[in-house]
Amino acid sequence: MRPDTSPRPAHPPGAGPAIPPADPRAALLQDPNFRWMIGGSALSMLGDQFTLIALPWLVLQMTGDTLVLGTVLALISVPRALFILIGGALVDRHSPKQVLMITKYVNLVLLAALAGLVFAGTLSLWMVYALSLGIGLATAFSIPAGTAMMPSVVARPQLQAANGISLGLRQLTMFLGPLLAGLLIALFGAGGAGHTAADAPAHANATGIGIAFALDALSFAVSAWTLSKVQTRAGLSAPTAAPQAVLASVAQGLGHFWRDSELRTCFLYWSAIALFIMGPIHIAIPVLASSSPQLGAAAFGIIVGAHGAGTLLGMVVSGMVPRLRFGSLGMTILAFDAIIGALFMPLGLITAVWQGAVLMLVIGLLGGFMQVSVFTWIQHRVPPALLGRAMSLFMFIFMGLAPISAAVTGWVMKSITLTQLFAASGGTLVVLAALAFVLTPMRRVTDAAPATR
């Protein structure tokens, strides 16, 4: 994502002397249409981080049961996993803006209802289940719609810079959001743990949690308004090809990805990571903060925020030294994953907030560095007509499979300790990276695009 290598639009015939191209990021930020879209998107992503912190904390305060927490996360993840590929095909068939607008209104209603029930003290566990299910269904369509929106707003030569701004803002919200949410819950009170679902709202001061949900609902309202201001480029807001049956479209995309050996290898490897590693993170980190007297809600936010800060820093470093590799792209991915696994293993032994923050900061730094390279590699590898479905599959792996594994983790934690869980998860990642190096062609994956496509 370097300005001096981005393709430039042709100089209009009949115009005056060509003016040296400016920084594409600066040019994008001068475009009101792009500012409307990116501003609303950033606000919505910030609001999402409030719910990311508030929802697991709410469940733990209501029940103190990791199995219930895993069930809530599964109710969000299962419909998202089941429908995200269909959502990607529908977005390819219809207008991304239209689909995204509908999902914003749906999420506004769901989060406002959740906030209202918390404030009123009438929230019960079945309501949390129902609202979580609704959020998961809406997310299955909002994720592919949001990903497909950018090409219909900015010109193709500006996509690289536009994606860089969007990813950077996303990581910035992942840093600021958990910090603000954790401090908000700690400041206004999160209630006492150990109450049942029936009496927790009556006995606990859940003001901070309610405010967090309300702020997320407000972010959806404002971002829906900013999205209504966005003008899509003519001919790109909807597909020009004849409509194809949704399931046939999904099957076509999956068939193409399976026939591409490098895509197949990477997607299978990332699926294994999501199932065995990412799921436990969703459960173990909040439980670690909740069960340790020296930690708490603010510490939870700081630890998660440190991971977001590290990811943002890793993306910045990737922009500065984009060709930093340990051999090939695949070798670098495997090496970084092995290091991340080794850093994850001692998390269960931390006794202070700074220890968890440092470990998660470095983990985020390594992951953020590779995220830009992987995202760009997929964009180069996949034909444009299949890119929406490719990104849906990529997001299905990390946003669909991981929380499903979190539900299993909640059950597993009935039998093992937090220290054992962190050690087993980190060790599994090291083993997976080693097996992928020995048994798969992943180490030969390079940054170069295929010779023909």
Side-chain angles (χ1 to χ4, degrees), residues 85-86 88-90 92 244-259 386 389-390 393:
L85 296 178
I86 294 175
L90 285 176
D92 284 342
Q244 185 180 20
V246 173
L247 293 181
S249 179
V250 172
Q252 178 192 29
L254 292 176
H256 173 86
F257 307 145
W258 185 260
R259 290 189 295 271
L386 295 172
R389 276 160 282 183
L393 179 59

Side-chain angles (χ1 to χ4, degrees), residues 106-119 213-214 216-218:
V106 170
N107 278 304
L108 166 61
V109 172
L110 294 173
L111 269 299
L114 187 55
L117 290 167
V118 171
F119 285 134
F213 290 136
D216 193 10
L218 179 62

Side-chain angles (χ1 to χ4, degrees), residues 239-428:
T240 56
Q244 185 180 20
V246 173
L247 293 181
S249 179
V250 172
Q252 178 192 29
L254 292 176
H256 173 86
F257 307 145
W258 185 260
R259 290 189 295 271
D260 188 317
S261 62
E262 290 192 3
L263 279 174
R264 180 177 70 244
T265 298
C266 290
F267 281 156
L268 289 174
Y269 173 73
W270 292 326
S271 296
I273 290 178
L275 286 171
F276 293 104
I277 305 300
M278 300 303 297
I281 292 178
H282 290 181
I283 291 288
I285 297 296
V287 172
L288 175 67
S290 176
S291 60
S292 301
Q294 64 271 32
L295 301 179
F300 179 30
I302 291 172
I303 292 173
V304 176
H307 181 267
T311 304
L312 178 58
L313 180 59
M315 295 176 66
V316 172
V317 174
S318 179
M320 296 171 62
V321 283
R323 294 301 175 185
L324 176 62
R325 296 287 182 268
F326 297 121
S328 65
L329 172 64
M331 283 284 294
T332 309
I333 293 173
L334 295 176
F336 279 23
D337 282 346
I339 297 172
I340 289 172
L343 292 172
F344 194 67
M345 294 174 68
L347 268 172
L349 301 173
I350 67 171
T351 57
V353 177
W354 70 268
Q355 296 170 343
V358 168
L359 288 171
M360 293 300 288
L361 179 73
V362 179
I363 289 172
L365 173 65
L366 298 174
F369 182 90
M370 294 313 305
Q371 183 176 338
V372 175
S373 298
V374 167
F375 200 87
T376 303
W377 177 75
I378 293 175
Q379 289 180 322
H380 288 166
R381 186 87 191 174
V382 177
L386 295 172
L387 187 56
R389 276 160 282 183
M391 296 312 301
S392 292
L393 179 59
F394 183 71
M395 292 180 292
F396 162 80
I397 290 172
F398 288 103
M399 304 189 75
L401 295 182
I404 291 176
S405 118
V408 177
T409 302
W411 175 75
V412 170
M413 287 188 65
K414 297 290 186 180
S415 304
I416 65 174
T417 66
L418 266 177
T419 301
Q420 292 170 335
L421 178 66
F422 280 112
S425 296
T428 301

